[in-house]
Amino acid sequence: MKTNTYILASFLLVSGMSLAQKGDLKRVDKLFEMRAYNEAAEIYETKERTQQVLQNLADSYYYNANLQKAVKTYRELFVTYGDSMDLDYYFRYGQALKGIQNYDEADKYLKIYYNKDLNTAAFIENNTKTTPHNFSLKQVEAENSYSDFGLSFYGEDKVAFASTRNTESPNYVWNDLPYLDLYSGTLSTNGTLENVVPFSEAINTRSHESNAVFTKDGKTMYFNRTNATRKKGEEDKIAHVKIYKAELVDGNWTNVTALPFTSNAYSTEHPALSADEKTLYFASDMPGTIGNFDIYKVAIKEDGTYGEPENLGPTVNTKQREQFPFVSDYDVLYFSSIGHEGFGGLDVFRSNMVNGTFDTPVNLGSTINSNLDDFAYVIREKDNKGFVSSNRSGFDRLFTLTREENMLTKYQVEGIVQDKNSKELLVGASVILFDEAGTVIQDSIVGEKANYLFKIEPNKKYKVRGTFKAYIPHDVEFSTNSEGKVQHNIYLTLESFADAEARVKKDEKGELKVELDKIYFDSNKSKIRDDAATTLNVLVDLMKKYPTMEVEVSAHTDAYGKDNYNLKLSERRAASTLEYLVSQGIDRNRLKSVGYGETQPLNNCTEEGICKAEEYDVNRRCEFKILN
């Protein structure tokens, strides 16, 4: 893309290279390998549109942030050669589509890359309710500014940043801009950069310099510089990025040295210091990196030496790029990523340090992140003020930022679920949140503390419902507004059917049953008699009173007769009872019928002739067990 964020990923040093507009394919491929994307794209457009030409042409537009042309070319590439495309092209095409905010189409291609369902529109909607802050950005104005980025705090009243404003510097082939140098300046109250001066020649060379960070005493600087030694590849020469350290002695920057863990074989870049200045964070593609670039940390020892670099691991790092770390005074890690779910291009994320490790990153949201690259975020947490860089306008630009808490994250309803009478916590109860149309918005099964919490929105009406087996559901309606109550604490107190209804009793097994007068059937019959119907109407009324009550209807026989016959008879009687209840308006889905025959006697009368008649009579019964 047409941004220095890609330059800092892997620099190409080119000298004396000038290829004709109509050069042959081998020569234009060489331009592409050297990241001379502007010139390469112009020539590729004149060539036969083979798969290789379309791939390189689309990538040239993509890396220079000409996303409309990138999307058009990727689309042609996929229509013509889609079955043979490498997965990385799915990723770049998806990102290009995000860059023009065609999220539905982007999801189709990124779904294939990630091998999972994606819904960017839903992510964006949810992010507005979960991101911690809302931001206000203002572009920093300065004379001779063409492409500036990476503003950092420099002492009490100064800032440092990288810029291509040195027009005497030779142009870099990636984007036809001068090489990067580091500058200092002051920021006026109206957001204008003033008193801009370059750092000394000890810092700025004929290579790229960028991303300076300073110790609190201002005497030590860490910064990026393009490696002066070129690593020979198969056909090109690549100069990687190193982190350098400089010391301020008698007002002059001196003792400029590369850090010992840097290398000519890979890049280390974007230094950031922890609040106690004992840890240096940085981005690198060194061996062991999970993706293109990962965030690392390295200990700064008391004697000034360094420990071994440590990868922050897969919670922070993805298979794509993570860059531009910054650690605030509150030990919050901020960084930019194109691998975590976002709005397109690099987005800024935050990750809190919890017990020495960083937790799942959170996208900072649409008030700071755009569909293009947003990076180099720094913040003074106490002041809620900082800086960010972005290429949303087509070139890298500096922005001042202020932030305030996202009130949408404050809107919530929470509480616990408990028994109305005993106050016992109902662990495992279900809590459901409905909108005003009765649509389920969220649901939750409460844990050992029986508590729940739902995020909600202003200016809406809701209903929260608690349910538990053999309990009467409890509904509470409430509403929110943007200026009134934002947090609702609602205790859901559920009453058991056993406490609410005298006919509901708990048996010796702990099961709840509805106690009715005995139902009689004619001998060897299953038809519901009039007297049985009168008894069953009591259950009908109870189930209509409690629309969520579910009941198992079971029939039992005595030990007279053959086992199989008794089982079949009980099944018919239970089914007949169920059908009567349905005929009286009870939903069939709330009922279950079971015939147990003579298998569940209430006494020891398990064979004929061993008990009195009235003892066998006890086992001839219908039972109504509450299932829910």
Side-chain angles (χ1 to χ4, degrees):
M1 290 185 177
K2 200 165 188 177
T3 171
N4 291 306
T5 62
Y6 285 88
I7 295 174
L8 293 173
S10 181
F11 288 137
L12 227 23
L13 297 182
V14 181
S15 60
M17 172 100 24
S18 178
L19 300 181
Q21 170 75 12
K22 299 297 183 180
D24 60 29
L25 193 57
K26 184 176 181 180
R27 298 177 73 196
V28 69
D29 285 345
K30 185 68 175 178
L31 277 175
F32 178 80
E33 292 170 2
M34 295 165 53
R35 280 56 163 184
Y37 294 124
N38 281 343
E39 190 173 357
E42 292 178 4
I43 301 176
Y44 277 131
E45 287 285 11
T46 69
K47 300 299 180 182
E48 180 184 353
R49 299 174 90 78
T50 63
Q51 180 173 350
Q52 185 66 39
V53 166
L54 286 174
Q55 288 177 172
N56 290 356
L57 177 59
D59 283 350
S60 294
Y61 288 136
Y62 173 75
Y63 287 127
N64 264 352
N66 193 338
L67 297 184
Q68 292 286 355
K69 287 187 176 181
V71 166
K72 180 181 178 182
T73 310
Y74 280 129
R75 182 176 292 121
E76 180 182 352
L77 174 64
F78 273 84
V79 167
T80 310
Y81 302 104
D83 293 340
S84 60
M85 300 304 303
D86 185 86
L87 277 178
D88 285 340
Y89 290 98
Y90 284 86
F91 178 81
R92 289 196 287 275
Y93 187 19
Q95 287 295 328
L97 287 162
K98 276 191 172 185
I100 63 171
Q101 298 180 307
N102 187 346
Y103 294 125
D104 290 343
E105 192 73 10
D107 288 343
K108 295 178 183 178
Y109 290 90
L110 293 174
K111 173 183 177 180
I112 295 172
Y113 175 81
Y114 286 109
N115 193 29
K116 66 178 182 180
D117 288 333
L118 295 173
N119 189 333
T120 300
F123 158 77
I124 292 173
E125 180 180 358
N126 183 64
N127 178 265
T128 63
K129 308 169 193 174
T130 58
T131 190
H133 298 95
N134 287 326
F135 295 85
S136 297
L137 305 186
K138 183 179 180 180
Q139 184 171 316
V140 175
E141 304 295 337
E143 290 185 18
N144 303 318
S145 175
Y146 189 60
S147 184
D148 302 337
F149 76 96
L151 203 69
S152 62
F153 302 111
Y154 177 25
E156 289 298 321
D157 56 354
K158 290 184 179 180
V159 294
F161 63 97
S163 178
T164 59
R165 64 184 61 215
N166 183 5
T167 56
E168 296 180 2
S169 176
N171 282 3
Y172 181 59
V173 294
W174 178 298
N175 55 4
D176 294 332
L177 295 177
Y179 275 71
L180 291 164
D181 283 336
L182 281 169
Y183 292 80
S184 68
T186 56
L187 198 63
S188 68
T189 55
N190 63 1
T192 301
L193 265 177
E194 299 174 343
N195 307 314
V196 174
V197 293
F199 279 83
S200 67
E201 292 183 357
I203 302 299
N204 290 326
T205 66
R206 293 183 66 83
S207 295
H208 291 282
E209 283 81 26
S210 65
N211 292 95
V213 62
F214 302 84
T215 53
K216 291 183 177 68
D217 62 10
K219 295 181 179 180
T220 303
M221 176 202 307
Y222 296 92
F223 65 98
N224 292 343
R225 178 182 287 169
T226 310
N227 185 13
T229 303
R230 305 176 187 180
K231 178 192 174 186
K232 293 185 178 181
E234 293 181 358
E235 294 184 359
D236 55 4
K237 296 179 180 180
I238 298 175
H240 291 284
V241 185
K242 286 186 176 182
I243 297 175
Y244 282 75
K245 175 183 177 181
E247 297 176 342
L248 189 64
V249 179
D250 297 330
N252 297 310
W253 289 105
T254 186
N255 300 328
V256 180
T257 55
L259 297 188
F261 51 85
T262 62
S263 172
N264 294 335
Y266 54 80
S267 288
T268 51
E269 59 187 36
H270 310 155
L273 283 167
S274 62
D276 61 9
E277 299 184 353
K278 294 180 179 180
T279 305
L280 184 74
Y281 293 83
F282 62 95
S284 179
D285 60 350
M286 65 175 57
T289 299
I290 296 171
N292 293 338
F293 270 82
D294 284 358
I295 307 296
Y296 285 79
K297 67 177 181 178
V298 65
I300 304 174
K301 299 180 181 180
E302 291 186 5
D303 61 1
T305 61
Y306 300 85
E308 291 296 321
E310 300 177 41
N311 191 299
L312 294 194
T315 299
V316 170
N317 295 313
T318 70
K319 292 182 179 180
Q320 293 298 325
R321 289 184 295 126
E322 280 69 46
Q323 297 173 292
F324 299 97
F326 172 78
V327 179
S328 75
D329 288 341
Y330 296 166
D331 281 330
V332 178
L333 170 68
Y334 296 92
F335 65 97
S336 289
S337 171
I338 199 172
H340 293 286
E341 191 167 14
F343 297 85
L346 288 169
D347 277 0
V348 182
F349 292 79
R350 64 174 283 159
S351 178
N352 297 312
M353 182 179 284
V354 180
N355 296 324
T357 60
F358 290 104
D359 63 7
T360 302
V362 174
N363 190 299
L364 292 196
S366 61
T367 57
I368 188 170
N369 289 318
S370 68
N371 54 312
L372 295 178
D373 288 325
D374 307 284
F375 55 98
Y377 173 99
V378 297
I379 185 78
R380 279 178 170 154
E381 303 269 20
K382 292 181 180 179
D383 299 333
N384 288 312
K385 295 180 180 180
F387 309 110
V388 71
S389 302
S390 177
N391 72 334
R392 64 189 65 189
S393 65
F395 295 95
D396 292 333
R397 290 288 185 264
L398 298 168
F399 293 83
T400 60
L401 64 88
T402 58
R403 72 180 189 187
E404 58 184 15
E405 285 188 291
N406 179 9
M407 284 303 298
L408 289 181
T409 65
K410 301 298 182 182
Y411 282 86
Q412 62 186 37
V413 57
E414 61 181 329
I416 62 172
V417 189
Q418 62 184 23
D419 186 287
K420 179 180 179 179
N421 298 296
S422 70
K423 307 305 179 185
E424 176 187 358
L425 298 180
L426 298 181
V427 176
S430 173
V431 184
I432 307 170
L433 182 69
F434 300 87
D435 65 12
E436 60 185 2
T439 303
V440 175
I441 303 299
Q442 301 176 63
D443 59 73
S444 175
I445 303 297
V446 302
E448 62 181 12
K449 295 182 180 180
N451 61 316
Y452 71 92
L453 186 150
F454 295 131
K455 295 293 185 180
I456 52 180
E457 299 178 25
N459 303 312
K460 290 193 175 182
K461 182 179 179 181
Y462 294 97
K463 178 172 66 178
V464 64
R465 171 181 296 167
T467 65
F468 195 59
K469 181 180 178 181
Y471 276 73
I472 304 166
H474 183 200
D475 290 2
V476 178
E477 292 186 348
F478 64 98
S479 60
T480 60
N481 61 74
S482 58
E483 296 180 354
K485 189 174 182 181
V486 298
Q487 292 182 315
H488 296 258
N489 196 315
I490 298 176
Y491 277 50
L492 294 171
T493 54
L494 280 59
E495 188 172 23
S496 72
F497 290 123
D499 288 336
E501 297 292 336
R503 287 186 176 273
V504 178
K505 303 291 185 183
K506 185 178 291 188
D507 65 14
E508 65 278 2
K509 297 179 182 179
E511 295 178 338
L512 289 184
K513 293 180 179 178
V514 180
E515 290 189 346
L516 301 178
D517 294 338
K518 192 166 185 177
I519 295 176
Y520 293 95
F521 294 89
D522 291 333
S523 180
N524 298 326
K525 301 293 184 181
S526 59
K527 182 180 178 180
I528 299 298
R529 298 181 354 177
D530 290 344
D531 56 343
T534 300
T535 299
L536 289 174
N537 286 341
V538 175
L539 179 60
V540 170
D541 292 342
L542 191 65
M543 294 189 73
K544 287 183 176 180
K545 182 179 179 180
Y546 302 111
T548 62
M549 181 185 285
E550 297 178 4
V551 172
E552 176 190 278
V553 179
S554 60
H556 304 260
T557 68
D558 58 26
Y560 286 101
K562 294 183 178 180
D563 294 353
N564 188 58
Y565 176 82
N566 285 336
L567 180 61
K568 295 297 183 183
L569 178 61
S570 67
E571 289 174 348
R572 292 197 303 271
R573 287 177 172 175
S576 179
T577 302
L578 182 149
E579 292 301 328
Y580 176 80
L581 297 172
V582 171
S583 73
Q584 299 304 302
I586 303 302
D587 189 333
R588 186 181 301 275
N589 292 327
R590 297 170 59 196
L591 297 165
K592 176 184 178 182
S593 69
V594 181
Y596 290 101
E598 58 186 86
T599 62
Q600 295 186 2
L602 297 177
N603 53 30
N604 294 323
C605 301
T606 57
E607 297 180 13
E608 295 183 40
I610 63 173
C611 296
K612 297 178 181 180
E614 58 269 22
E615 292 179 296
Y616 288 108
D617 185 57
V618 171
N619 294 327
R620 294 193 298 271
R621 68 197 189 277
C622 277
E623 293 181 340
F624 306 94
K625 181 172 69 175
I626 296 177
L627 300 176
N628 197 10

